Every structure is written in structure tokens, then in C-alpha cells.
Amino acid sequence: MKPYTVIGLCLLIVVLMILPLLASRFYLYITLQILMLSLFALGFNLLFGYTGLLSFGHAAFYATGAYATGLILKNVTNSLIPGVLGGTLAATLLALIIGFFCVRHTDVYFSMLTLAFGMMVYSLAWKWRDVTGGDDGLIGIPRAPLQIPGVFSLNMKAVSNYYYFVLIVTLLAILLLYTIVNSSFGLVLQGIRENSHRVEFAGIPIKRYRWIAFVISGFFAGLAGALLAPLENTVAPAAADWTKSSEPILASLLGGIHTFAGPIVGSALFILLKETVVRYTEYWLLVYGIILLLILLGLRGGVVGALIQFKAKAKR
């Protein structure tokens, strides 16, 4: 990583750390939405941008993480960390099962299978009223304290406290994913994306690598959902809908799928554009769609990809 990139990241982290001292609850809430979508999109892009597999059903893991965290916090423990870990683990286990079937196919067959499994989870969330609350959703999820029994306990009811918890978890998760994509495992995934037959001829079990990438991707989607439940105090079936699965796709395309920072930049653009357009017109969905379409058609490599290309041309 180049020195000016490290300096820029340090400045960004400092700004994020002091944000609760400068911004209102609304802007903290928007920043939390960006952080969670960044986690969701980064995990999705490990599968799409690095492995070449387009999933249309990643909201299944996001919703599983959210519902499982909600159920654990409501019925099992009044401690934040076990709730978030339990929700993330549930989503990872689901990714382990669904991935086993999906990675045996590629291209449109893979995409349609993920969509089918995603809609199955959506149906379960909608119909299994005794557990999920049905169309009313799971309500009354407590924002449990961050505590280690006998050591310390920090109240999370204040949004600023929960913001710091989500920020630290997100930064650690981003560091973990950056390490993964820059390891030999990440290089193999990129090789599978570019030419899976050549990688297979080299003796590498590509289905196993795709499965591991699928599970890791589900882990990050589940973590994003697990962080959502205590923030909103409720989870609805919409969290598992196919429209939710479209969010990490659009965020990754907006920022750039072949760059690590692309999904993060895309997530910020996705949330900020939406919040801005909603304020000015009741036809926000139409206007928002047109703006996204223009950006996607005009910047084929996403915003980060376009900046990299512009910088390369400027050096010539």
C-alpha cells in the first residue's frame, strides 16, 4: 500500500472516530448504514469481483444474521457480543449448506440457484410466524450492553456508543478481508475468475475454493445483518427480499468490482444519493434509478476504476 493511501486511510479513520462529537443522530445513523452496506458489499464482491460468481440471493445470509441475532438477544442472552457472534455463525452455517449445492454450477445457473435459495429464506421469514413474527417482523430486539461478566459493561442504548462498536467491528472485518484477498487464496480466486479451466489443469480443486469463498462471503453478509438487528430493534422479511440482494450488487458496480475499495465507495454513494434524492421529490425511485443508470453506463469500471484510469492517463 502506497504512503499517500495509508495517510488518506488514517485521516478517514480519524474523521470517523470523531464524528459522534460533530454530527447529529441522523448523520450517525446514515454512517452506520454505510458501514453495514460496506461489509455486505465487500463480502459479496469476494464472490463476484474476485471469484467471478454473481449471486442474486445474498440477502438470505444478511437476513439470517439479523433474525438469529434478534432471537438470541430476545430469548437467550442480554449481551451484545454473543448475540452478534451467534447471528453471524448462523448465517455462515447457512452459507456452508447453500454453497455446497450452488458452487457445482456457474454462470446463470449459479445465479438462479442463489436466487431460488434466497427466496426460500424470504418465504420462511414471511410464513414462519411463530419464530420470525411473519409479516409483522421480529420486534422488540434489545440493543444489549457490551459486557464481559465480571470485567466491564458498556450501555449501548446511546447511538454514539453503538456507532463505535460497529465502526471497530467493521474496521477489523475490512482488515481481515483485505488480508484474505491479498493472500495466495485470493490470488487463486482471481485465477478462477479469469480462467477456471487453466486453474483446474494446474491441479487446484476449484469447487472447493469456490465453496470456501461462498462461505466467507456469507460470513460477511451475516455479520452486516447481525449488526443491523440491535440498531433497528426490529427485523422484517424485507431483509431477505431479492431487492435487498440487489443493494451489494449496485454498490459494488458503482464503486468498481475489481478494486478492494470499490464496494466501500459504492456503498457510500448508494446511501448518500438515496437520502439526497428522497428529500427533493416524491418520484425518488424513478430519479434515483436514472442517476444510478447514468453512473453505471458512464463509468464501466465504477468510480474507483475510473479514478485509477484517469490517474494512469495523467501520468502518460
Side-chain angles (χ1 to χ4, degrees), residues 148-171:
I148 298 177
V151 181
F152 79 97
S153 178
L154 181 62
N155 195 318
M156 286 285 122
K157 289 183 179 176
V159 176
S160 56
N161 288 352
Y162 191 66
Y163 168 84
Y164 281 119
F165 173 72
V166 173
L167 178 61
I168 291 169
V169 171
T170 303
L171 290 176

Side-chain angles (χ1 to χ4, degrees), residues 43-299:
F44 165 81
N45 200 46
L46 178 72
L47 203 58
F48 182 39
Y50 285 88
T51 318
L53 295 172
L54 175 57
S55 168
F56 286 148
H58 251 47
F61 313 119
Y62 180 83
T64 300
Y67 272 106
T69 298
L71 289 168
I72 291 169
L73 291 178
K74 283 189 69 166
N75 305 312
V76 180
T77 178
N78 187 29
S79 182
L80 187 61
I81 291 179
V84 171
L85 286 178
T88 307
L89 180 62
T92 308
L93 287 174
L94 184 68
L96 193 72
I97 297 167
I98 292 179
F100 177 79
F101 297 102
C102 291
V103 298
R104 279 157 172 70
H105 305 274
T106 55
D107 302 325
V108 70
Y109 304 102
F110 173 84
S111 300
M112 290 300 104
L113 263 179
T114 55
L115 178 61
F117 278 115
M119 294 313 294
M120 283 171 62
V121 173
Y122 173 73
S123 297
L124 273 176
W126 189 272
K127 297 291 184 183
W128 201 4
R129 176 171 286 276
D130 291 342
V131 175
T132 65
D135 55 339
D136 293 330
L138 197 64
I139 58 177
I141 299 169
R143 196 179 300 156
L146 178 69
Q147 61 182 355
I148 298 177
V151 181
F152 79 97
S153 178
L154 181 62
N155 195 318
M156 286 285 122
K157 289 183 179 176
V159 176
S160 56
N161 288 352
Y162 191 66
Y163 168 84
Y164 281 119
F165 173 72
V166 173
L167 178 61
I168 291 169
V169 171
T170 303
L171 290 176
L172 291 174
I174 290 173
L175 180 63
L176 173 63
L177 193 56
Y178 182 81
T179 305
I180 291 172
V181 300
N182 287 286
S183 66
S184 56
F185 173 76
L187 289 175
V188 172
L189 294 185
Q190 293 175 59
I192 292 173
R193 179 195 67 200
E194 295 299 326
N195 194 325
S196 59
H197 296 297
R198 186 171 293 179
V199 174
E200 195 169 24
F201 287 151
I204 294 174
I206 60 171
K207 284 181 184 173
R208 190 183 305 165
Y209 274 80
R210 282 174 174 156
W211 191 17
I212 295 171
F214 196 98
V215 174
I216 295 172
S217 184
F219 167 85
F220 281 93
L223 178 59
L227 293 173
L228 173 80
L231 173 67
E232 302 286 4
N233 302 123
T234 181
V235 184
D241 193 23
W242 66 270
T243 53
K244 193 67 186 178
S245 293
S246 71
E247 291 185 7
I249 300 174
L250 287 170
S252 300
L253 290 172
L254 277 173
I257 61 172
H258 295 312
T259 57
F260 183 79
I264 302 173
V265 175
S267 298
L269 272 175
F270 186 87
I271 298 288
L272 293 176
L273 270 174
K274 182 178 174 183
E275 290 299 324
T276 305
V277 173
V278 165
R279 289 186 178 199
Y280 290 101
T281 173
E282 61 181 303
Y283 305 107
W284 68 271
L285 204 55
L286 175 64
V287 176
Y288 186 52
I290 292 172
I291 292 173
L292 289 181
L293 191 64
L294 291 174
I295 294 175
L296 292 174
L297 290 175
L299 302 172

